[in-house]
Amino acid sequence: MANYNRRDFAKLVVLGGIGYTIFSCADDAKKNTSTGTKTETEKKVAPKMPELLAENIKLYQKADAEYQELAIRFNKRFQQSPTYIAQCFTTQGVADAVQFANYKDLKVVVKSGGHSFEGFSSTNDGLVVDVSAMKSMEWTPDHSLTVGTGCVLKELYNEMLPKQRILPSGSCATVGIAGLTLGGGYGFFSRKYGLTCDSLQAITIVDGQGNIRHESGNSAILKACKGGGNGNFGIVTKMKFRTYQAPSFFQAYRCKAYKLDTKRAKKLLETWFRYTKNLPNTAFAAFVLNGKTLTILITNYSNDNKGVMDMYNALKEISDKATIGSKRPLPKALKTFYGVQNPIYFKNACAGLYKDFSEIEGCIDDVISKVISSRGLIYQINTLGGNINSAASEKRSVYPHRSYPYLSELQSYWDKPSQEASRLAAFKEVQDRFYNHGIRAHYRNYPDINFKDFETAYYGKYLPELKAIKKQLDPDNRIQHPQSISV
Ligand SMILES: Cc1cc2nc3c(=O)[nH]c(=O)nc-3n(C[C@H](O)[C@H](O)[C@H](O)COP(=O)(O)OP(=O)(O)OC[C@H]3O[C@@H](n4cnc5c(N)ncnc54)[C@H](O)[C@@H]3O)c2cc1C
């Protein structure tokens, strides 16, 4: 039995290591001073064996003890064996790793926090560029924070919260800031401050030929990395974020209902949808149906509480149990949502972005009845909306789903590989119900290898822009995974 329980699931479900060491990277971030693109090696050079200095990069193969450690991913369904793992310590090391892959003609896969739902940060036959040791953090006087892309969320919170600063991002402790931001990124603070990628001001990125680029301002490459940058055309090594004043408290409200049948679960869901419309932007809500048990979470961090109390009171009437947590200091409160930190067996995937309950009304009876009659299926809906739906952010990113205020996901967790087949079969049945009902928009950070027409589902109208960036930065398709953008 893995070391998690039902309560851990709820935490893991509701949103969403490494020792807290901040390396000071003798790196090249300071070269980026301009707006737009600055490239250090513009012209394509014939592949040659780069000099691999231990201060920049260490290359491991299967026989190495370090390889075994570095090959582990959060999802135990995917324990793959790349030909090489390049552990990189500097941007130069990442550039060398890509040059090495070009020289050896190997495909390159990128790994930061290792939390990809579908194992997209490993491979069986190429080279993994692992940036997880790149944990530099550097503040500027305007409260911007530049981080190495090896940082995980817990490390960012540990750095920011004592300074009373926050970044709108996810809640699970060991999710990587890189993968999360490059696909969008949302969490408790997003309805007020936008997606994580909306706070991204500048990046350092290594392209498919090993060139180092610094992107900021109106750069099309920076824009492409805000929602479309996951392992597609470059390896981001540094991210500069705007941060915000942290709220002084955080409060959670919970309603629970047990032994649900379809009719009652649907009524609770309709009520949840109705009242989320009047929540303030400081609030977040999740509807988590775990078999026959429902948990509704509402959080808020401001005294503007009317919409929250209206929702709580309406749900309390039709739930079995309802509790209002105390106003807690933010650092303590966030820790309760850190979730499971060791690798587990699971299948998670987006179950669609919705504009309203009416979009799923025609299939929701079927979905709920399958979830409550199957072992280990969890159906969750989270609120987006608020300032995520900003015209200014739309212009500066390729996240195509801003007008959808609801993001749903399907989840299943198990303990032994022998349980996998039945879990996946039930999972697929629910997905088919949504697909047959016309649900097509999906969040890139909740991928599924089985999504049909996944490029359009993730990137919508921005797909041609992303293909142009792919062509520009990685014309040989060096950087790839099973759902990376094709040239
Ligand atoms: C337990 C859990 C909780 C989660 N909670 C949330 C949440 O609250 N909010 C939310 O928005 N999402 C959440 N997610 C989804 C999460 O955003 C994605 O799984 C994300 O891609 C993970 O990033 P990573 O760096 O940890 O993963 P990785 O597996 O390292 O990478 C994920 C993808 O990004 C690419 N990539 C990674 N690093 C780089 C880089 N430096 N440059 C270019 N490409 C790169 C990889 O190639 C891969 O395709 C959660 C996931 C899990 C498993």
Side-chain angles (χ1 to χ4, degrees):
M1 177 83 183
N3 62 346
Y4 54 95
N5 55 33
R6 257 179 118 74
R7 212 163 139 247
D8 286 332
F9 278 163
K11 287 183 201 167
L12 177 70
V13 159
V14 155
L15 274 177
I18 304 177
Y20 182 53
T21 313
I22 300 175
F23 294 101
S24 105
C25 266
D27 218 334
D28 40 20
K30 291 194 184 77
K31 289 177 192 161
N32 184 11
T33 48
S34 67
T35 282
T37 302
K38 199 172 167 209
T39 313
E40 284 165 26
T41 324
E42 283 289 0
K43 63 178 186 304
K44 189 173 173 177
V45 286
K48 63 173 187 336
M49 177 67 194
E51 191 184 359
L52 303 178
L53 299 178
E55 70 211 51
N56 294 324
I57 178 172
K58 280 185 185 155
L59 211 52
Y60 296 113
Q61 288 188 276
K62 280 171 208 161
D64 300 319
E66 293 88 343
Y67 175 104
Q68 304 308 330
E69 187 72 19
L70 291 168
I72 295 169
R73 295 292 176 271
F74 184 69
N75 193 341
K76 282 167 81 173
R77 255 191 327 133
F78 301 101
Q79 298 309 331
Q80 304 176 76
S81 299
T83 310
Y84 292 96
I85 300 179
Q87 187 182 31
C88 300
F89 306 104
T90 62
T91 300
Q92 186 55 53
V94 172
D96 293 341
V98 176
Q99 301 267 5
F100 177 78
N102 272 297
Y103 177 71
K104 290 267 186 187
D105 195 21
L106 294 166
K107 77 172 175 196
V108 169
V109 171
V110 197
K111 189 257 175 176
S112 291
H115 274 58
S116 168
F117 284 177
E118 291 286 17
F120 292 162
S121 51
S122 196
T123 173
N124 280 318
D125 50 6
L127 177 142
V128 167
V129 173
D130 186 322
V131 298
S132 60
M134 296 178 69
K135 293 179 185 292
S136 60
M137 295 194 195
E138 205 179 310
W139 289 92
T140 34
D142 65 352
H143 301 294
S144 292
L145 178 62
T146 302
V147 299
T149 43
C151 292
V152 299
L153 298 185
K154 168 170 94 168
E155 293 161 342
L156 285 187
Y157 289 131
N158 284 346
E159 173 69 18
M160 287 186 293
L161 294 178
K163 298 182 169 63
Q164 281 85 49
R165 306 301 295 179
I166 52 158
L167 174 68
S169 63
S171 52
C172 275
T174 48
V175 168
I177 187 63
L180 179 121
T181 307
L182 294 170
Y186 80 97
F188 293 130
F189 307 107
S190 295
R191 285 166 44 82
K192 184 162 166 69
Y193 298 112
L195 297 171
T196 315
C197 69
D198 297 335
S199 296
L200 187 62
Q201 299 176 312
I203 53 168
T204 300
I205 183 169
V206 174
D207 69 21
Q209 289 157 41
N211 302 314
I212 298 170
R213 296 166 176 268
H214 305 286
E215 307 291 333
S216 60
N218 295 325
S219 147
I221 296 170
L222 176 62
K223 180 183 175 193
C225 284
K226 296 182 179 187
N230 291 98
N232 279 331
F233 41 71
I235 302 161
V236 179
T237 59
K238 295 216 170 206
M239 293 177 150
K240 182 181 180 189
F241 291 104
R242 178 180 173 194
T243 67
Y244 305 84
Q245 178 68 44
S248 57
F249 71 90
F250 191 86
Q251 200 168 13
Y253 306 69
R254 286 184 177 81
C255 295
K256 303 272 288 185
Y258 307 101
K259 296 184 181 160
L260 286 170
D261 60 20
T262 302
K263 196 169 161 211
R264 191 163 166 236
K266 185 179 176 186
K267 185 170 179 201
L268 281 153
L269 180 59
E270 273 183 284
T271 310
W272 183 90
F273 267 104
R274 189 168 343 121
Y275 282 90
T276 52
K277 290 191 191 334
N278 297 322
L279 287 176
N281 284 349
T282 49
F284 163 87
F287 176 97
V288 187
L289 184 62
N290 184 348
K292 291 185 172 59
T293 301
L294 173 69
T295 304
I296 288 175
L297 172 75
I298 314 166
T299 65
N300 193 17
Y301 51 91
S302 82
N303 289 318
D304 171 7
N305 216 25
K306 184 177 178 316
V308 174
M309 282 313 294
D310 288 349
M311 181 166 178
Y312 174 79
N313 287 329
L315 287 163
K316 187 178 172 188
E317 285 293 302
I318 51 175
S319 305
D320 297 322
K321 191 177 163 194
T323 51
I324 302 183
S326 57
K327 290 183 175 178
R328 305 178 72 196
L330 190 60
K332 255 195 175 157
L334 288 187
K335 277 197 177 127
T336 60
F337 296 98
Y338 272 5
V340 181
Q341 299 188 27
N342 295 322
I344 50 177
Y345 290 105
F346 71 96
K347 167 89 183 176
N348 282 14
C350 186
L353 286 125
Y354 319 138
K355 295 214 162 125
D356 204 343
F357 180 64
S358 61
E359 285 191 24
I360 51 169
E361 200 167 5
C363 67
I364 203 66
D365 283 4
D366 273 0
V367 166
I368 292 174
S369 80
K370 184 70 199 167
V371 171
I372 63 181
S373 63
S374 306
R375 208 179 165 74
L377 268 189
I378 301 168
Y379 173 55
Q380 174 166 349
I381 313 179
N382 309 295
T383 51
L384 297 178
N387 291 325
I388 291 173
N389 193 10
S390 134
S393 301
E394 170 89 45
K395 269 196 213 145
R396 290 191 212 107
S397 79
V398 299
Y399 177 80
H401 305 308
R402 291 185 187 275
S403 61
Y404 292 90
Y406 302 102
L407 167 65
S408 69
E409 53 186 300
L410 202 58
Q411 312 173 28
S412 190
Y413 304 87
W414 56 89
D415 302 315
K416 292 181 284 201
S418 58
Q419 295 167 298
E420 179 174 320
S422 62
R423 296 298 175 92
L424 295 190
F427 199 98
K428 175 83 170 42
E429 272 189 55
V430 176
Q431 287 183 308
D432 287 347
R433 286 169 165 92
F434 281 119
Y435 187 83
N436 294 338
H437 193 65
I439 298 298
R440 295 287 189 277
H442 291 297
Y443 177 34
R444 167 57 187 86
N445 276 346
Y446 291 174
D448 192 307
I449 197 69
N450 297 318
F451 284 153
K452 296 182 188 118
D453 199 10
F454 61 87
E455 287 185 322
T456 307
Y458 300 147
Y459 307 119
K461 65 181 179 189
Y462 294 110
L463 185 57
E465 253 177 78
L466 285 168
K467 281 187 178 290
I469 296 288
K470 174 77 179 173
K471 220 173 181 173
Q472 181 194 348
L473 296 195
D474 188 24
D476 301 330
N477 198 23
R478 181 67 51 201
I479 299 166
Q480 54 171 282
H481 57 73
Q483 289 190 337
S484 55
I485 288 167
S486 50
V487 186

